[in-house]
Amino acid sequence: MATVSANKSIIFDLDGTIWNSIIYRIKAWQLAFKDYGIDTDPEVIRLMIGYPGSMLIKKMNARDPAIEKREEMYFEKMLPDVKFYPDVEGTFSQLRNMGFKIAIVTSSRRDMIEKINVHAEAIVTMDDVEKGKPDPEPYKKAIKIMDGTPERTIVVGDIDNDLVPAKLLGCVAVLVSHGTQKRAEHKDYEISEIGDIIKIIETLKWR
């Protein structure tokens, strides 16, 4: 009897990877911290986007976890201006035609994700796990939902924090730069735009 191959799976980060939200996230965090009398450096915030909000709060020497809720309030007001990158919808369609199941793994909260129009076979948020990225737990959960295996899973993210758990699990790690200069020690490949992932997949020759 022939062995059935595991599903082909691909996991995308959200903020800064498929969603052009970084500048809005930075502004929302600045406003939230300002409400608590804390001045912030936007570059420090930018480097922490993609990590759990609790880690950013700690880095700013703040203690009140309610700051994260404040950031979400400000960010929600900006949602009409936040867009998916232009090639995301077409690329997702191509990936499904190639037999891939798609997951979104994000450090955002579940109630925020429910406010945006994103379609995936699996969506894993901070509220769905005990430990967020760079812990592998969110990726393990997404792969399980998709009935996949790490060896047949690609992870696409815009910072090294997205790729660390991918390499720990044995997934293919892909950095997307969107035309900016980025450093990532754990990448297997780098692409400029989301649509370029198709070329990477063709070199893998997965069936």
Side-chain angles (χ1 to χ4, degrees):
M1 182 180 292
T3 302
V4 178
S5 297
N7 287 325
K8 295 183 291 185
S9 307
I10 186 163
I11 298 172
F12 290 95
D13 169 56
L14 181 65
D15 289 296
T17 296
I18 61 171
W19 209 31
N20 188 14
S21 57
I22 299 298
I23 58 173
Y24 302 100
R25 285 288 192 188
I26 292 171
K27 184 63 176 176
W29 276 112
Q30 284 187 293
L31 291 169
F33 280 116
K34 187 176 181 181
D35 286 347
Y36 283 78
I38 302 170
D39 291 326
T40 53
D41 182 343
E43 180 62 14
V44 173
I45 296 174
R46 185 187 70 79
L47 292 172
M48 291 296 293
I49 300 295
Y51 290 82
S54 58
M55 292 180 66
L56 174 56
I57 291 169
K58 184 178 181 181
K59 189 172 183 66
M60 294 299 177
N61 295 316
R63 296 185 178 181
D64 195 333
I67 297 174
E68 184 178 2
K69 289 289 185 183
R70 199 77 175 170
E71 184 273 339
E72 289 174 359
M73 179 195 75
Y74 282 119
F75 184 68
E76 186 175 346
K77 293 178 180 179
M78 303 175 191
L79 279 179
D81 297 320
V82 186
K83 308 294 181 186
F84 288 97
Y85 286 101
D87 58 349
V88 168
E89 184 176 354
T91 302
F92 276 25
S93 179
Q94 279 185 274
L95 288 169
R96 289 191 173 99
N97 288 338
M98 297 170 75
F100 277 85
K101 290 188 175 182
I102 298 172
I104 307 297
V105 172
T106 175
S107 296
S108 295
R109 297 290 179 180
R110 171 65 62 174
D111 59 353
M112 179 60 66
I113 300 306
E114 290 175 349
K115 294 179 174 69
I116 67 175
N117 188 26
V118 57
H119 300 290
E121 282 66 55
I123 298 176
V124 179
T125 73
M126 273 297 297
D127 294 317
D128 303 315
V129 294
E130 292 184 7
K131 296 180 180 179
K133 295 180 284 185
D135 192 273
E137 183 188 354
Y139 291 171
K140 287 180 179 179
K141 184 162 189 171
I143 293 169
K144 184 176 180 180
I145 293 171
M146 293 186 290
D147 292 323
T149 63
E151 296 77 15
R152 299 264 292 179
T153 299
I154 300 168
V155 172
V156 183
D158 67 311
I159 58 175
D160 210 32
N161 188 57
D162 300 319
L163 308 183
V164 170
K167 295 301 293 178
L168 286 173
L169 292 175
C171 304
V172 177
V174 180
L175 178 75
V176 60
S177 65
H178 292 297
T180 62
Q181 220 172 15
K182 298 191 175 186
R183 294 179 61 187
E185 297 177 5
H186 295 82
K187 67 182 179 183
D188 293 311
Y189 302 94
E190 181 171 344
I191 57 177
S192 179
E193 304 298 339
I194 291 297
D196 297 335
I197 193 63
I198 304 300
K199 298 174 185 176
I200 301 300
I201 290 169
E202 288 171 350
T203 67
L204 297 176
K205 297 181 180 179
W206 287 358
R207 295 187 180 276

